[in-house]
Amino acid sequence: MKDIIKNKIEELLSKEYYCSLKDLNEKEIIYSANCKAVKPYIKILAYRNCVVVCTSKNIQSKVRQLLQDKNRDEIFEVPLVYGQTIHYVPNADGTEDTLVSPDYEYEYLSDKEILSLVGLTGFENSLAFDENGSTSTRAVYIARDNNRIIGVAGAAESSVNGVWEIGVDVTEEYRNARLGTYLVKRLTGELLARSIVPFYSASVTNIGSQMVASRCGYMPYWVDTFGTILDGSSVYNDLLKGWSFPVDE
């Protein structure tokens, strides 16, 4: 299973970062180009012993100059990017399943069965429907208390067949009781039983989410940046317009 997870995740990273499988196992800085990027683009990946800096073609030479002779940590501090996400995969060595089920009702749903939940809101990390009632989520494990849905772990397809990303939401009054951990653990088991490789993602600032990953037997596998200030997506763009910073004399 360990080799299957490694091969599938490397296939995913190779596709998303426009690099080769060989690149991912190098001990150096790899520069790749996202040929589909319309706006200025930069996304940085740390995997095993390599760092991949993926950019749009129009800024690649400038970014290379900027990052020349920089180490991994310095590269992740480049002011063109913001936010870092830790991505986890199941520990292939496994541990004894001693997780106790919180006393609620549970149900596993997949594919068309999920459409029975159309209209459900408040679970955007795990299950969200568009205006047409469609969702990219392919499997969910849900918890109910007196027929009310109080927690959802959902898995959506990635760009690689057989690799799905897990997200989880628990309503506020039911948190801190390990319900999220239980849901992620159960959904992970359902996916692995179907030969699907799941991965779980958490912001570096979200300690609670990282604890869920750890309690579910997941291990950190790669880190990447969340956004870039170059494409206008930063929440501070409007705030910074018109600002002037005084210089001490």
Side-chain angles (χ1 to χ4, degrees):
M1 188 62 187
K2 186 175 181 179
D3 288 339
I4 293 175
I5 292 174
K6 180 179 183 294
N7 292 340
K8 278 292 187 180
I9 294 301
E10 288 187 356
E11 182 183 353
L12 174 69
L13 297 180
S14 174
K15 185 173 183 179
E16 294 195 347
Y17 285 87
Y18 297 86
C19 61
S20 69
L21 297 177
K22 181 178 181 296
D23 289 336
L24 292 171
N25 289 280
E26 297 290 350
K27 297 181 179 180
E28 58 185 73
I29 310 302
I30 304 296
Y31 291 90
S32 64
N34 181 347
C35 56
K36 297 180 181 179
V38 177
K39 296 181 179 181
Y41 173 95
I42 176 172
K43 195 169 177 65
I44 303 172
L45 161 74
Y47 174 72
R48 296 171 69 88
N49 294 310
C50 82
V51 173
V52 179
V53 181
C54 182
T55 67
S56 51
K57 290 184 177 180
N58 58 330
I59 65 169
Q60 190 174 60
S61 61
K62 290 184 178 180
V63 170
R64 291 189 70 141
Q65 292 175 14
L66 178 65
L67 299 182
Q68 187 175 3
D69 299 325
K70 299 291 191 298
N71 62 35
R72 179 184 59 198
D73 292 339
E74 291 169 337
I75 288 174
F76 268 80
E77 292 172 353
V78 63
L80 303 178
V81 296
Y82 62 88
Q84 295 181 13
T85 303
I86 308 174
H87 302 275
Y88 299 78
V89 299
N91 188 340
D93 294 333
T95 56
E96 186 69 21
D97 187 357
T98 58
L99 190 62
V100 177
S101 165
D103 191 18
Y104 303 116
E105 298 175 353
Y106 299 95
E107 185 177 14
Y108 173 76
L109 301 173
S110 63
D111 296 322
K112 291 184 179 180
E113 296 172 334
I114 297 174
L115 297 180
S116 65
L117 302 176
V118 169
L120 182 68
T121 59
F123 300 91
E124 283 71 26
N125 291 318
S126 54
L127 176 63
F129 295 93
D130 63 22
E131 58 186 11
N132 298 317
S134 299
T135 179
S136 60
T137 302
R138 291 288 309 277
V140 296
Y141 210 93
I142 60 178
R144 290 187 176 91
D145 185 14
N146 292 322
N147 292 321
R148 174 195 171 198
I149 294 179
I150 59 171
V152 178
E157 285 183 307
S158 71
S159 58
V160 168
N161 184 43
V163 181
W164 294 8
E165 181 174 11
I166 290 181
V168 63
D169 295 285
V170 175
T171 54
E172 188 171 358
E173 62 268 39
Y174 290 88
R175 294 172 187 169
N176 301 315
R178 299 202 173 185
L179 177 57
T181 298
Y182 183 79
L183 292 171
V184 171
K185 183 77 170 179
R186 295 280 71 80
L187 182 57
T188 297
E190 294 283 355
L191 298 182
L192 290 175
R194 292 164 173 77
S195 298
I196 296 168
V197 174
F199 70 94
Y200 179 95
S201 304
S203 166
V204 295
T205 62
N206 194 337
I207 304 301
S209 186
Q210 294 171 38
M211 291 176 66
V212 168
S214 178
R215 288 195 293 259
C216 289
Y218 277 73
M219 61 180 182
Y221 215 63
W222 78 95
V223 176
D224 59 19
T225 55
F226 177 76
T228 171
I229 65 171
L230 299 173
D231 63 3
S233 65
S234 171
V235 296
Y236 292 106
N237 280 345
D238 292 337
L239 179 65
L240 292 174
K241 290 178 181 178
W243 272 33
S244 60
F245 297 90
V247 177
D248 292 337
E249 296 181 357

